[in-house]
Amino acid sequence: MCGIIGYTGTRDVAPLLVRGLRRLEYRGYDSAGIAVASHMRFEVRKEVGRVADLERSVEDGLEGISGIAHTRWATHGGVTRENAHPHLDNEGRIVVVHNGIIENMAPLKTRLIAEGAIFRSETDSEILAHLIAHFYHGYGSFGDSIIPDIAGDPVAAVKMALSRVRGTWGVAVMFLDHPGMIIAARNGSPLVIGIGDGETFIASDPHALVPYTRRVMFMADGELARLTVDGVETWRLDGGTKTSSIETLEEEWGDGEQGDFPHFMLKEIHDQPEALRQCISGRVLVEDGTAKLGGLDLSPRELVDIQRVTLLGCGTSYNACLVGAYAIEQLARIPATAEIASEYRYRNPVVDPRGLHFAVSQSGETADTLGAVKEIQRKGGAVMGAVNVVGSSIARTCGRGVYLHSGPEMAVASTKAYSNMVAALCLFTLQLARTTHLSAHAGREFAEHLQAIPGLVEQYLANPGPIDDAVRWVCDSKITFFLGRGVSASVAAEGALKLMEVSYVPSIAYPSGEMKHGPIALLEKGSPVICIVPNDPLKAKTASNVQECRARGARIIMVHTAGDPIAELADVAIPVPETLEWFSPLLTVLPLQLLAYKAGLALGRDIDRPRNLAKSVTVE
Ligand code: AGP
């Protein structure tokens, strides 16, 4: 969702900010803007659409060495140039970019208008520009409280303004009286400070900073910072003293560049063998038939005491949780469930203190998942992260967990992160099951098969089968069905989600046995039904459901284990290599990812940035 980049130093700031926005594009946005302190005024440019459009509008030269910029994903107010950030106060002397939501916008706006503020947008964010200006210009008390004289003090003005708003913010503010200074504050929307040599950066995402510096400070909620060329000073808004410290960003595996691929999504599908190796390597102990996830920091004693495992995520991450829960319950014989984080956090869940929770997230910034983490912690539960982005809010809030090591995932549609979530949860399953009752022999078999997965993924991607035939049917259909049983039911869900987000083809996923309880009414002659039927103990059951669809004239696209005669039931059969039941999602999901990609391509969709979607969903 929205992205922030800011800079103060000695470089030509406009191209630097535009480059930063480009590196934030993957988060999803619908407009972009930039403000540069230039010749005693703020030069502001905004565009609806792509950062490339904004880049063209700054080509005439925006001279300056400090500025802030923003990509906006609309919440309050439509997608218009006026609503794009940055926002200015009446006099154009204070400029603001903001991520998050100001919940008490209405009363504040009424009061500010009564005092003379002129609003030029419909956004909640513009409130901040006027409210900060109010205190900075020393207009006295706001409402009925008496405030000290803080006129002319940027830090105090921002602090005072933030004390009057309710909601979430990652905010960067500049004052024309102090053109080399940026004030930043965080509450619920991530911000990271980059520290260079005679230059300082602020961004909502370390990815924007990596070309310039790896020395960073992740701001904590409730923190405020003053950035200048000389470095950074931080405070806590509540007056406390504990503030963030400087860290060095780890080298990311993968560079987040597109290479020779036409789209990030296709590149990331093909990254999967290497991404899986990065996730598994060093964590599988074949000789002992177990796995070791050091970041969990759980002793065998603590592992055997676990009474229940709850996996939480949203979207694709939830689909990966379904696979994990299935594997844990089957193999470790411990009750395990997957939960949609946005539902879980608000249903006053019963948190078992003897249970273990995992928050599963690629970005580590999903507001709903982070909210669920905090709710579990409030109720005394233990929660680990299974997160891709190092240093992200969920990783930091959990404190312990497992990094996915997928490398940067830039396409909105998650592919390699899904696979690494499944792989990481399989590693945990092995570690847990081996501690409880799995024999060394069975553990070794599990470990060997897991280690073989990256090679099998590579093998499949080299020869993906007749995907194009399936694409034609899917693109011509009103609706596409995805069916699977057991662990494949969750792969069906992931296939449908992927197809919808990338191609906008209406898609529905059901556990095969549920089809006859309702959705079969939608079947028409020629409807494409994508059946995920690997060679597992439930195969024969799914085969019956396939027959029921065939009998009604459906076109069967079947993802099956290579060499299995069940393929005879299919109109289009897509074979994948054989593996153990628990790992089959890592193979059966591949044709579904390619199908979604190719359907999106055939229908002319914006593959890497589908409409209305964001990579990092930082609002609830
Ligand atoms: C995946 O293709 C989607 N873009 C989306 O469902 C995503 O998985 C979800 O928003 C959760 O994101 P997270 O993994 O970053 O928490």
Side-chain angles (χ1 to χ4, degrees):
M1 286 188 164
C2 306
I4 288 176
I5 173 84
Y7 173 83
T8 179
T10 52
R11 303 189 204 213
D12 186 9
V13 74
L16 182 148
L17 294 179
V18 168
R19 185 175 182 205
L21 291 182
R22 278 196 177 282
R23 291 182 72 85
L24 297 172
E25 276 190 297
Y26 78 100
R27 295 162 65 94
Y29 70 103
D30 39 51
S31 53
I34 181 171
V36 169
S38 179
H39 302 297
M40 296 311 292
R41 60 192 299 256
F42 283 123
E43 282 283 351
V44 177
R45 305 280 162 85
K46 307 179 187 189
E47 290 297 334
V48 167
R50 296 290 172 222
V51 171
D53 300 320
L54 180 70
E55 190 168 13
R56 272 189 289 280
S57 85
V58 302
E59 262 165 13
D60 59 342
L62 266 190
E63 277 179 39
I65 51 174
S66 58
I68 51 180
H70 189 262
T71 47
R72 173 175 188 252
W73 188 87
T75 55
H76 287 62
V79 181
T80 63
R81 187 181 287 193
E82 293 69 33
N83 289 340
H85 301 213
H87 294 292
L88 291 159
D89 71 323
N90 276 11
E91 279 97 44
R93 300 190 65 80
I94 294 173
V95 68
V96 170
V97 291
H98 165 238
N99 292 351
I101 291 176
I102 305 300
E103 289 166 2
N104 56 338
M105 163 181 174
L108 289 175
K109 190 168 178 176
T110 309
R111 231 180 248 182
L112 286 164
I113 289 174
E115 290 189 358
I118 300 162
F119 279 80
R120 300 175 185 98
S121 77
E122 304 158 292
T123 65
D124 53 340
S125 306
E126 193 183 345
I127 296 275
L128 291 173
H130 295 294
L131 197 54
I132 294 166
H134 171 94
F135 292 117
Y136 185 72
H137 296 314
Y139 294 157
S141 66
F142 192 76
D144 47 13
S145 48
I146 306 296
I147 58 156
D149 181 13
I150 54 170
D153 181 340
V155 171
V158 173
K159 266 189 191 173
M160 192 60 73
L162 292 177
S163 73
R164 304 303 163 106
V165 296
R166 256 197 344 264
T168 54
W169 58 81
V171 64
V173 189
M174 289 182 71
F175 295 77
L176 207 51
D177 294 344
H178 306 270
M181 178 194 296
I182 299 172
I183 309 291
R186 169 186 169 147
N187 181 45
S189 282
L191 280 180
V192 54
I193 297 164
I195 296 156
D197 228 357
E199 54 186 3
T200 313
F201 306 75
I202 184 80
S204 45
D205 185 328
H207 189 66
L209 303 182
V210 163
Y212 307 105
T213 181
R214 288 190 174 269
R215 294 183 70 222
V216 297
M217 277 173 77
F218 289 95
M219 291 185 74
D221 280 346
E223 213 166 63
L224 180 131
R226 175 168 55 199
L227 283 58
T228 62
V229 289
D230 299 322
V232 59
E233 266 179 286
T234 56
W235 296 266
R236 290 212 47 90
L237 285 171
D238 60 9
T241 49
K242 187 175 173 295
T243 51
S244 312
S245 52
I246 298 176
E247 303 173 30
T248 304
L249 282 178
E250 282 177 28
E251 288 287 328
E252 282 173 328
W253 173 79
D255 54 9
E257 302 294 339
Q258 210 168 302
D260 293 335
F261 288 90
H263 297 97
F264 275 113
M265 183 180 178
L266 188 62
K267 174 191 180 264
E268 288 159 7
I269 289 171
H270 285 272
D271 275 349
Q272 285 175 108
E274 188 51 30
L276 283 161
R277 283 188 190 104
Q278 295 289 333
C279 179
I280 294 167
S281 97
R283 291 167 162 176
V284 180
L285 310 176
V286 178
E287 268 311 294
D288 300 332
T290 189
K292 180 149 182 54
L293 294 168
L296 300 184
D297 196 19
L298 289 171
S299 67
R301 178 79 234 176
E302 288 168 314
L303 282 166
V304 286
D305 280 347
I306 294 171
Q307 302 295 306
R308 157 179 301 278
V309 179
T310 307
L311 308 170
L312 302 111
C314 297
T316 285
S317 304
Y318 169 70
N319 292 337
C321 291
L322 289 168
V323 178
Y326 190 88
I328 291 165
E329 191 152 297
Q330 297 289 309
L331 276 159
R333 306 306 300 155
I334 289 171
T337 47
E339 298 275 359
I340 294 173
S342 55
E343 289 292 309
Y344 182 87
R345 64 182 294 198
Y346 287 123
R347 70 157 200 253
N348 193 15
V350 175
V351 172
D352 185 344
R354 299 159 310 160
L356 186 68
H357 303 77
F358 272 97
V360 180
S361 174
Q362 188 287 128
S363 62
E365 300 296 348
T366 300
D368 287 315
T369 311
L370 185 58
V373 168
K374 290 179 178 166
E375 182 64 9
I376 294 164
Q377 290 176 336
R378 267 191 291 269
K379 288 180 179 298
V383 53
M384 306 277 173
V387 172
N388 194 37
V389 177
V390 175
S392 55
S393 300
I394 293 175
R396 301 169 80 76
T397 306
C398 291
R400 284 194 282 173
V402 45
Y403 277 120
L404 303 176
H405 298 314
S406 306
E409 190 180 67
M410 310 306 285
V412 163
S414 181
T415 52
K416 61 179 179 174
Y418 167 83
S419 291
N420 279 25
M421 287 168 188
V422 170
L425 294 173
C426 283
L427 286 164
F428 174 69
T429 303
L430 177 58
Q431 188 177 357
L432 184 63
R434 188 74 180 90
T435 316
T436 50
H437 63 274
L438 201 69
S439 70
H441 173 75
R444 264 197 293 278
E445 193 196 356
F446 189 101
E448 278 163 6
H449 275 88
L450 185 52
Q451 275 200 320
I453 287 290
L456 297 179
V457 171
E458 213 154 45
Q459 186 184 319
Y460 169 77
L461 290 173
N463 184 15
I467 307 281
D468 292 333
D469 296 342
V471 168
R472 268 190 293 281
W473 291 351
V474 163
C475 291
D476 289 346
S477 70
K478 282 195 288 200
I479 184 164
T480 297
F481 298 81
F482 288 79
L483 300 182
R485 263 181 198 263
V487 76
S488 296
S490 58
V491 180
E494 176 57 9
L497 176 62
K498 214 89 304 170
L499 185 62
M500 280 189 285
E501 54 177 350
V502 181
S503 73
Y504 319 151
V505 171
S507 311
I508 182 172
Y510 259 84
S512 327
E514 279 292 290
M515 186 70 174
K516 58 187 173 299
H517 296 292
I520 202 163
L522 296 175
L523 263 193
E524 292 176 359
K525 202 166 167 14
S527 300
V529 180
I530 301 179
C531 306
I532 297 101
V533 206
N535 190 13
D536 65 22
L538 299 174
K539 182 178 71 173
K541 299 282 177 205
T542 313
S544 309
N545 307 128
V546 173
Q547 294 283 22
E548 289 155 14
C549 296
R550 270 172 70 88
R552 286 159 181 84
R555 284 168 160 161
I556 306 297
I557 299 156
M558 185 182 286
V559 178
H560 64 93
T561 302
D564 191 329
I566 197 170
E568 284 161 21
L569 294 179
D571 295 289
V572 171
I574 305 172
V576 298
E578 179 143 33
T579 183
L580 294 182
E581 181 186 1
W582 331 112
F583 309 137
S584 64
L586 294 168
L587 296 162
T588 54
V589 78
L590 302 171
L592 309 185
Q593 295 171 343
L594 287 171
L595 174 74
Y597 173 77
K598 290 187 168 211
L601 202 60
L603 293 167
R605 308 305 190 209
D606 190 348
I607 304 264
D608 286 335
R609 289 189 283 271
R611 67 183 178 205
N612 303 332
L613 293 176
K615 183 71 179 161
S616 261
V617 185
T618 50
V619 295
E620 54 178 296

